[in-house]
Amino acid sequence: MTIPSGHRSVIVVGAGPVGLTLAAELGTRGIDTLVLEQNPTTTDNPRCNTTNARSMEYFRRLGVADPIRRAGLPLDHATDIVYCTTLTGWELTRFPFSSAQQIFDRTAPELAEWPTPEPQHRISQIYLEPILEEHVRGYPSVEIIRGSRVTAVVDHGGKVEVRAEASGVETVVTADYVVGCDGGASTTRRAIGARLHGDSQAAENRLSVYFRSAELAREFAAAERPGWMYWWYGPRLKGSFVQLDGKGLYLCHARVPDGTAPEDLDEDEVLRAALGRDMEVEKIQIVRWTPRRLVADKFVDGRIVLAGDAAHLWLPLGGFGMNTGIADAVGLGWRLAALLAGWGGPDLLDAYEVERMSVGEATSRAALKIDRDMATIARDPALHVDDAEGARLRTEVGARIAEVDRQQWHSQGVQFGARYAESPGIVADRVHAPGAIDRIDHYRPSVAPGSRFPHAWLPDGGSVFDRLGRDFTLVRTRGDATPFRAAAERLGIPLTVLEIDEPVVTEEPLGLVLVRPDLYVGWSGDVAPGDVDRLFRTLVGAESRSPLSSAAS
């Protein structure tokens, strides 16, 4: 396929989950968008295997959560995380999680435990990407060109020039904005001179084996309650293991022991250590890689912006990497649309950089903490001995894992609790919640500016998220909405006013909460500020941040 020349509003470089999410956000707003992806098909590498609850909330807004939840594992397959000596050996402990069908039936305990209408979903990237791409291709304003390699990106001030090659032909395309969602080796990042900072090797090297096994599938079929992910601890090797489709496709990771070169670790030894014995397998892909914790020193340079792995890289623990990139895309999509529509101001992209850089730093450190907390567990060789001492040790280790690694699987603090405390894209006229992430496994709902707008079930059984507008929403339980309606109309800012009977957070019963398009609280209070125009101009990047006084003061 050839690349059409001409000018676009936005060019997205990269059609992974982040680039496709951004394209969907732009497509739902009718923005003329071109997506350039060098790979001819969606990924064949099952790297990310969790779409977290925050991403599922965003996909619900886009209307694609249902098909995503129906893909991957069979609907009735539990998604437990199991810790064991080997997959055919002793179980140490497990964290139980429901099947997709239980989520659909609303019988899953997660719906009571997690403050969301869309709990996290276990789906491999190899199944997620085709669903997202099919969805994006349904937007008339978005075009995806696969097999197109971007070779250069240059900002000329009023427009950005992109050089790309497809089928041996180089084409020059221009756009108002270009977003690099082109991964760790990002051409776009190099184009703006951004540098990655952090830990170039944050943990032991890894070896990953993607394989198929009918014999192992029979083992799982005979098990009382097969898990979704297994963490295995062998005498020499340890790692993790994922069921990809519940039918015979699997992914096995192993830590490369200290003192061993990655290329010297044999994949057959890894599989034998994980499975507990030799089995018939068909190896599909072998990858040796190095865990990193890196964040770019800038995400924005003029009309060129970075998102996803182009902006930050870290250990794939807790599903944090891809999902942080999806949140980048949602936070960026509405801003680009606002700039192109004329109601967004020049500070919008600066706010994006401040917000997403702070979250990138905090989330990368959370992933590193999980890895280091678990690194020294289950090292005693007696763990593998079939005697009373071995049994005692396995019980002790299981209890320790249940205590230490709960944070990885109940990571509500990361998924819901990241806050934009010092962003120019929020307005706070009172003391509000602290920034970044307090705890990995703890989330306190809040309507303080910079917080995720909390989920609440409404009296009709629906989610408050389903009643929010596509752009800004004023959620009103009491107080006067008239100043907000008038200011939004004067400034051309799309605003929905949602009237509800009870506050979404009873501990913070504020009557007026202004929710941004990315479902973060921009401002909240009981009385409108004295200058609501200025409030809106600040939220949309059209005026430098400054304190606001309420009409009652």
Side-chain angles (χ1 to χ4, degrees):
M1 181 177 289
T2 58
I3 303 169
S5 60
H7 185 82
R8 300 296 181 100
S9 296
V10 180
I11 293 176
V12 178
V13 184
V18 177
L20 291 170
T21 300
L22 175 57
E25 287 287 328
L26 296 169
T28 198
R29 293 171 167 86
I31 303 300
D32 178 28
T33 304
L34 175 64
V35 182
L36 299 175
E37 168 57 53
Q38 64 179 351
N39 292 318
T41 63
T42 55
T43 187
D44 62 355
N45 185 334
R47 288 180 299 172
C48 185
N49 291 283
T50 291
T51 301
N52 76 12
R54 187 56 164 164
S55 296
M56 291 300 292
E57 290 175 355
Y58 288 140
F59 290 148
R60 181 186 182 104
R61 296 258 292 170
L62 288 168
V64 75
D66 188 279
I68 289 173
R69 202 172 288 283
R70 293 183 184 280
L73 294 171
L75 284 176
D76 62 352
H77 198 295
T79 55
D80 295 2
I81 291 91
V82 182
Y83 295 76
C84 55
T85 54
T86 70
L87 269 72
T88 56
W90 287 287
E91 181 173 319
L92 303 173
T93 192
R94 72 168 58 205
F95 294 96
F97 286 98
S98 302
S99 68
Q101 189 61 60
Q102 288 174 289
I103 301 294
F104 281 127
D105 295 341
R106 296 183 69 167
T107 60
E110 288 94 315
L111 289 167
E113 297 170 7
W114 288 61
T116 178
E118 293 287 350
Q120 57 197 350
H121 180 56
R122 311 305 186 181
I123 178 174
S124 173
Q125 192 170 332
I126 60 176
Y127 303 118
L128 174 65
E129 279 191 22
I131 295 170
L132 291 178
E133 179 158 328
E134 181 182 7
H135 179 78
V136 169
R137 289 188 183 276
Y139 293 111
S141 66
V142 180
E143 183 176 10
I144 302 172
I145 306 294
R146 287 195 167 273
S148 54
R149 184 175 65 89
V150 171
T151 58
V153 181
V154 181
D155 189 342
H156 290 292
K159 65 180 179 180
V160 184
E161 179 183 276
V162 175
R163 292 184 177 271
E165 182 183 280
S167 303
V169 178
E170 184 179 76
T171 304
V172 176
V173 194
T174 61
D176 294 307
Y177 297 94
V178 170
V179 183
C181 304
D182 45 347
S186 172
T187 298
T188 314
R189 186 179 64 242
R190 292 196 300 272
I192 67 173
R195 296 179 178 274
L196 294 171
H197 293 276
D199 302 306
S200 59
Q201 178 155 4
E204 302 103 316
N205 289 305
R206 302 292 205 267
L207 185 149
S208 301
V209 186
Y210 172 30
F211 70 101
R212 180 181 287 107
S213 175
E215 182 178 353
L216 182 56
R218 290 192 292 271
E219 290 276 347
F220 280 123
E224 181 178 350
R225 183 181 168 102
W228 157 70
M229 175 174 277
Y230 292 76
W231 290 73
W232 51 274
Y233 296 86
R236 177 173 121 81
L237 301 174
K238 61 182 177 179
S240 59
F241 175 96
V242 183
Q243 292 215 61
L244 300 176
D245 66 349
K247 301 173 183 177
L249 279 179
Y250 309 103
L251 178 64
C252 183
H253 299 297
R255 293 174 181 256
V256 178
D258 289 338
T260 301
E263 60 271 17
D264 291 338
L265 181 60
D266 181 68
E267 61 266 20
D268 291 324
E269 180 188 359
V270 167
L271 291 177
R272 190 161 46 248
L275 304 181
R277 68 169 193 267
D278 287 319
M279 290 190 188
E280 293 183 6
V281 303
E282 175 193 346
K283 287 176 279 188
I284 300 171
Q285 192 177 78
I286 313 295
V287 179
R288 292 172 170 83
W289 51 282
T290 299
R292 309 180 191 278
R293 193 201 68 81
L294 300 169
V295 179
D297 57 4
K298 61 178 175 179
F299 288 14
V300 178
D301 188 5
R303 292 173 173 267
I304 304 173
V305 190
L306 304 179
D309 285 356
H312 41 68
L313 292 162
W314 51 74
L315 289 80
L317 290 170
F320 297 163
M322 180 193 76
N323 293 288
T324 302
I326 287 170
D328 292 347
V330 175
L332 184 56
W334 75 267
R335 289 180 162 99
L336 292 174
L339 287 164
L340 290 162
W343 54 268
D347 295 337
L348 262 183
L349 294 183
D350 292 339
Y352 166 80
E353 181 176 73
V354 169
E355 293 176 359
R356 300 313 300 166
M357 190 177 288
S358 68
V359 168
E361 283 285 354
T363 307
S364 70
R365 294 185 186 282
L368 185 59
K369 179 182 186 302
I370 288 171
D371 187 75
R372 291 179 175 173
D373 285 351
M374 292 297 293
T376 59
I377 286 179
R379 287 186 169 180
D380 194 328
L383 191 73
H384 308 279
V385 179
D386 189 9
D387 61 10
E389 174 60 17
R392 183 198 65 77
L393 184 60
R394 287 189 289 275
T395 299
E396 180 182 294
V397 168
R400 178 64 177 151
I401 291 171
E403 175 188 358
V404 171
D405 211 30
R406 186 183 187 279
Q407 61 185 340
Q408 182 172 183
W409 311 114
H410 292 268
S411 58
Q412 291 98 321
V414 172
Q415 296 187 38
F416 305 131
R419 292 181 298 268
Y420 302 146
E422 300 300 326
S423 169
I426 65 169
V427 174
D429 57 358
R430 66 187 189 284
V431 176
H432 58 280
I437 296 167
D438 287 345
R439 274 178 46 187
I440 293 171
D441 58 347
H442 177 72
Y443 164 67
R444 181 179 67 82
S446 176
V447 291
S451 302
R452 161 195 179 256
F453 179 68
H455 160 69
W457 293 111
L458 298 175
D460 63 4
S463 168
V464 68
F465 288 168
D466 299 336
R467 303 276 299 280
L468 299 175
R470 187 187 65 189
D471 293 298
F472 279 87
T473 303
L474 180 69
V475 180
R476 176 187 175 277
T477 53
R478 66 179 184 280
D480 188 3
T482 303
F484 296 89
R485 293 183 193 271
E489 184 174 355
R490 280 192 297 272
L491 298 170
I493 297 173
L495 176 68
T496 298
V497 176
L498 173 60
E499 307 270 354
I500 60 175
D501 296 330
E502 299 292 334
V504 294
V505 179
T506 56
E507 294 82 7
E508 296 176 357
L510 299 174
L512 300 165
V513 180
L514 190 54
V515 184
R516 300 188 330 190
D518 54 2
L519 305 190
Y520 278 86
V521 177
W523 172 90
S524 57
D526 279 319
V527 179
D531 189 343
V532 181
D533 284 39
R534 187 176 174 191
L535 165 63
F536 272 116
R537 287 197 302 268
T538 303
L539 294 179
V540 301
E543 182 165 339
S544 298
R545 186 185 185 193
S546 59
L548 294 176
S549 60
S550 70
S553 62

